[in-house]
Amino acid sequence: RSLSVSKTDFIEDDYVCTLSEEYLQIAKDELNETPEIRNQSIKLMREWILNNERIVSCRMDSLFLLRFLRVCKFKVPDACAKLEQYLEILQKYPKWFKNVNIDDERTRALIEAQWLLPLPGKDKLGRQIYLFQAHNLDTKNFGPADLVHAAELINQMLYDDEEAQVAGYLCIFQDKGLTLGHLTIWSISEIREVMSYVSKGMPVRSKGYIHVSFPLVGRVILEISKTFMSQKLKDRTDFIEDDYVCTLSEKFLKIAKDELNETPKIREKSIKLMREWIQSNDKIIACRMDSLFLLRFLRVCKFKVPNACAKLERYLEILQKYPKWFKNVNIDDERTRALFEAEWLLPLPEKDQLGRQIYLFQSHKLDTKQFSPVDLVHAAELINQVLYDDEETQVAGYLCIFEDKFMTLRHLTMWTFSEIREVMNYISKGMPIRSKGYIHVSFPAVGKAIFDISKTFLSQKLKDRNKLVNTIDDLGKYMDLKILPKEYNTGGKYTGKEIAQAFIKLAEARKDELLIQDKLLIKMDNEDKTHHFPDNFIKGPGKSW
């Protein structure tokens, strides 16, 4: 097919509509298209191009113009404006849209790798389906420009397909093999540029983007991408709901019901309402919305959904307000790893008789000359992030044991009052976990004053759950001593070193997933203290509200 972009040599084409009766009906019902409107609109659009001094060269054949007319439902001024945006974007971003052809070896390799496939048949609604397969993309060999070139080649091949012009296209993303490497190859500016084209320039009817098996690690980056989309495209971006299955045993299901008002029906309804609240909350820019993440807040708030939403908002605000405590928390940090290897903090592998997760802090293992308060919080927060999604811990909570026999004044004075206030604010207001108590064993007299100051920053509930005991034997009143490390000679199965190494391996296995914490984003507005609850929050799923 011979095409011209010259305005001076244009010869009117002999266009004949190729649509079947089925598609003609869709075009009439959804796009207001009739033969008369089509012919008149094409004529008006050509005249506009010829008279527009900004447009130096442009295709004016009918199929090209119908791309814009159909996507704009034959509102000619809108179609002309979209064409102008399209030309501007192509010229503004040549790295994405110039030299797009199948002779480029990288483009051909991507198509041959089956990363993106335009499926040969239409679906039952007549839509063209694009299938993206993350597991077929080698992120070491291809960059964002390669991906856009391959996608744009397919676009250009199909833009003039009249059936696709009328019924639109649907993108299916099979994301089961998606990793952090697939996402971090993109910079924020690159995402913004490509989303500008998708949202404003592409002359095609987008009928939706469906992500299948989208991993936790990618949720936040997708939310960032959505900030550059029009509202229509945001509404048409969806997930196949996560395949959450409750893993709680009968013992923990009973605790959940008796203490948290949790039932399967309440759980499902509450998750749904909380997702709707996040999506409607303009303050929240990027947030995880998978079931396990939301259950952190729902369970700690006993399924009172407005309270859970408010706690999530505070959690996001605290993470953003205090980056020194909560950013870059990962096991690859050598100081964090060294703290675990020193066995200062151990998450004990066995739960106690009440099902609680036990954190054991051992002050005699902490070298105060080597480590700072930031290092300590990073280590503690890493354990939190690894264990927050443990359903048994979400339900039964955690108990902190502080073995303080060899604590010195240096252990206490390394903290400033402002640092104590900031960390206690997170513990008291932000942490999405059920705190079942803090027990200090052999706490020295030298620390009592600072201990009392720290308690002033806690809620009354947490103050009441802070206890002092004299010996390890006295600790037996509150927990089963057999789960302590072997070194305590109370019948434990594992040494401190074995416990530390097991946790390090667990943190390494979940490293990519945990990095998403740094991508959570909320608008910080000191004047806005409301929590934007939709009307349907007035009623709740049962008595738990």
Side-chain angles (χ1 to χ4, degrees):
R1 186 158 59 112
S2 178
L3 298 172
S4 172
V5 296
S6 171
K7 291 172 65 171
T8 56
D9 299 333
F10 174 72
I11 300 174
E12 193 163 325
D13 60 358
D14 52 355
Y15 166 77
V16 176
C17 182
T18 62
L19 294 173
S20 66
E21 289 299 323
E22 176 189 1
Y23 283 94
L24 285 171
Q25 191 63 48
I26 297 173
K28 183 178 180 180
D29 294 345
E30 297 185 15
L31 310 181
N32 310 306
E33 181 175 348
T34 65
E36 295 77 14
I37 289 175
R38 184 196 311 126
N39 293 335
Q40 180 66 16
S41 299
I42 290 171
K43 181 182 177 186
L44 288 172
M45 200 166 175
R46 279 190 184 127
E47 291 174 355
W48 173 81
I49 293 171
L50 289 168
N51 293 321
N52 189 330
E53 295 180 355
R54 292 189 64 214
I55 298 178
V56 180
S57 60
C58 182
R59 280 178 58 182
M60 288 190 288
D61 55 285
S62 298
L63 277 177
F64 180 77
L65 301 184
L66 283 170
R67 298 180 184 182
F68 302 90
L69 288 165
R70 283 173 169 149
V71 81
C72 294
K73 299 183 178 181
F74 284 88
K75 296 174 183 175
V76 178
D78 291 355
C80 293
K82 191 164 191 74
L83 169 59
E84 202 160 42
Q85 287 174 329
Y86 173 76
L87 297 175
E88 288 171 349
I89 289 171
L90 295 189
Q91 197 160 319
K92 185 176 182 180
Y93 303 119
K95 81 170 184 177
W96 302 121
F97 305 114
K98 294 290 185 184
N99 303 314
V100 173
N101 65 81
I102 196 62
D103 289 336
D104 178 80
E105 63 181 28
R106 299 177 69 78
T107 301
R108 182 183 288 270
L110 268 173
I111 303 293
E112 290 175 343
Q114 302 173 40
W115 165 67
L116 169 54
L117 297 175
L119 302 190
K122 305 292 198 296
D123 74 353
K124 61 184 178 181
L125 299 178
R127 300 173 299 190
Q128 171 68 52
I129 308 297
Y130 285 16
L131 175 62
F132 294 79
Q133 302 182 106
H135 61 281
N136 284 335
L137 174 61
D138 182 348
T139 57
K140 294 179 180 178
N141 288 334
F142 300 103
D146 301 319
L147 309 192
V148 175
H149 282 193
E152 186 59 13
L153 176 62
I154 292 177
N155 287 340
Q156 294 301 333
M157 295 289 292
L158 298 178
Y159 275 156
D160 289 347
D161 178 332
E162 291 203 83
E163 292 180 354
Q165 286 183 355
V166 168
Y169 75 97
L170 178 68
C171 286
I172 307 297
F173 296 85
Q174 176 31 273
D175 295 325
K176 191 172 184 180
L178 194 72
T179 68
L180 190 64
H182 288 87
L183 301 163
T184 54
I185 65 173
W186 294 85
S187 69
I188 297 298
S189 63
E190 288 173 333
I191 293 172
R192 183 187 299 112
E193 291 170 3
V194 173
M195 286 301 119
S196 176
Y197 175 59
V198 171
S199 189
K200 298 176 182 178
M202 280 180 69
V204 70
R205 299 188 71 201
S206 169
K207 306 304 285 187
Y209 304 86
I210 299 177
H211 294 263
V212 182
S213 304
F214 196 73
L216 169 64
V217 72
R219 291 287 174 119
V220 170
I221 293 178
L222 178 66
E223 291 303 313
I224 292 172
S225 300
K226 286 170 68 175
T227 63
F228 304 121
M229 295 182 184
S230 65
Q231 189 58 49
K232 182 187 288 186
L233 289 187
K234 289 179 186 178
D235 294 341
R236 291 179 177 175
T237 300
D238 203 0
F239 299 100
I240 303 296
E241 291 291 348
D242 63 357
D243 52 356
Y244 167 76
V245 176
C246 182
T247 61
L248 295 172
S249 66
E250 289 299 322
K251 171 185 175 180
F252 286 93
L253 285 171
K254 188 174 189 317
I255 297 173
K257 184 177 181 180
D258 294 346
E259 297 186 16
L260 310 181
N261 310 305
E262 180 175 348
T263 66
K265 184 177 179 180
I266 288 174
R267 184 196 310 128
E268 182 180 353
K269 181 66 173 176
S270 300
I271 289 170
K272 182 175 183 291
L273 285 172
M274 201 166 176
R275 281 191 182 125
E276 291 172 355
W277 172 80
I278 293 171
Q279 290 171 332
S280 66
N281 189 332
D282 292 337
K283 285 186 66 180
I284 296 177
I285 299 171
C287 183
R288 279 178 58 181
M289 288 192 288
D290 56 286
S291 298
L292 277 177
F293 180 77
L294 301 184
L295 283 170
R296 297 181 184 180
F297 302 90
L298 289 165
R299 283 172 169 150
V300 80
C301 294
K302 300 183 178 181
F303 285 86
K304 296 174 182 175
V305 180
N307 292 3
C309 293
K311 192 168 188 71
L312 169 58
E313 203 166 276
R314 284 195 296 269
Y315 174 75
L316 296 175
E317 288 170 347
I318 288 171
L319 294 189
Q320 199 159 315
K321 186 175 181 180
Y322 303 118
K324 80 171 184 177
W325 301 119
F326 304 114
K327 293 289 186 184
N328 302 315
V329 174
N330 67 83
I331 195 63
D332 287 340
D333 179 82
E334 61 181 32
R335 299 176 70 80
T336 301
R337 183 182 288 265
L339 270 170
F340 285 110
E341 291 174 343
E343 304 169 37
W344 166 68
L345 169 55
L346 298 175
L348 301 189
E350 296 177 277
K351 307 289 199 299
D352 75 352
Q353 67 272 25
L354 298 178
R356 300 174 298 189
Q357 172 67 52
I358 308 299
Y359 287 16
L360 175 62
F361 295 79
Q362 303 181 104
S363 61
H364 62 284
K365 301 278 189 177
L366 175 62
D367 183 346
T368 57
K369 295 179 181 179
Q370 182 180 354
F371 299 104
S372 70
V374 170
D375 300 323
L376 309 193
V377 174
H378 280 196
E381 185 61 10
L382 179 61
I383 291 182
N384 288 339
Q385 293 303 328
V386 170
L387 298 180
Y388 273 156
D389 289 345
D390 177 83
E391 292 203 82
E392 293 182 355
T393 304
Q394 287 182 354
V395 168
Y398 76 99
L399 178 68
C400 286
I401 307 299
F402 296 85
E403 212 297 288
D404 295 328
K405 186 175 182 179
F406 297 100
M407 180 181 281
T408 67
L409 188 62
R410 173 61 189 162
H411 286 89
L412 300 165
T413 57
M414 66 188 291
W415 294 83
T416 67
F417 287 135
S418 63
E419 288 174 334
I420 293 172
R421 183 188 302 111
E422 290 171 3
V423 174
M424 290 299 134
N425 183 43
Y426 174 59
I427 292 172
S428 188
K429 298 178 181 179
M431 279 180 70
I433 195 168
R434 300 188 71 201
S435 169
K436 307 304 285 186
Y438 303 85
I439 302 177
H440 296 262
V441 183
S442 305
F443 196 76
V446 71
K448 290 288 179 69
I450 295 177
F451 177 72
D452 290 337
I453 291 171
S454 300
K455 286 174 65 176
T456 64
F457 302 120
L458 296 176
S459 65
Q460 188 59 48
K461 182 190 289 186
L462 291 185
K463 287 179 185 177
D464 295 340
R465 291 180 176 174
N466 265 274
K467 301 182 184 300
L468 302 178
V469 300
N470 292 323
T471 67
I472 291 294
D473 289 339
D474 294 335
L475 178 62
K477 299 174 186 177
Y478 301 98
M479 61 168 281
D480 184 355
L481 299 181
K482 290 181 180 178
I483 64 176
L484 291 173
K486 278 185 177 181
E487 290 86 343
Y488 285 83
N489 298 314
T490 55
K493 295 180 183 178
Y494 308 101
T495 65
K497 183 177 181 180
E498 288 171 335
I499 295 170
Q501 289 303 315
F503 176 78
I504 289 172
K505 287 181 180 178
L506 180 60
E508 287 174 337
R510 296 189 58 191
K511 182 169 57 180
D512 285 353
E513 182 182 318
L514 297 177
L515 287 173
I516 201 165
Q517 179 80 357
D518 290 350
K519 304 294 184 182
L520 304 181
L521 197 60
I522 189 170
K523 293 178 183 176
M524 299 292 286
D525 184 354
N526 293 329
E527 297 180 3
D528 185 3
K529 297 299 181 183
T530 59
H531 294 288
H532 311 95
F533 299 120
D535 293 341
N536 62 358
F537 274 54
I538 296 173
K539 298 178 181 179
K543 297 179 181 178
S544 66
W545 289 58

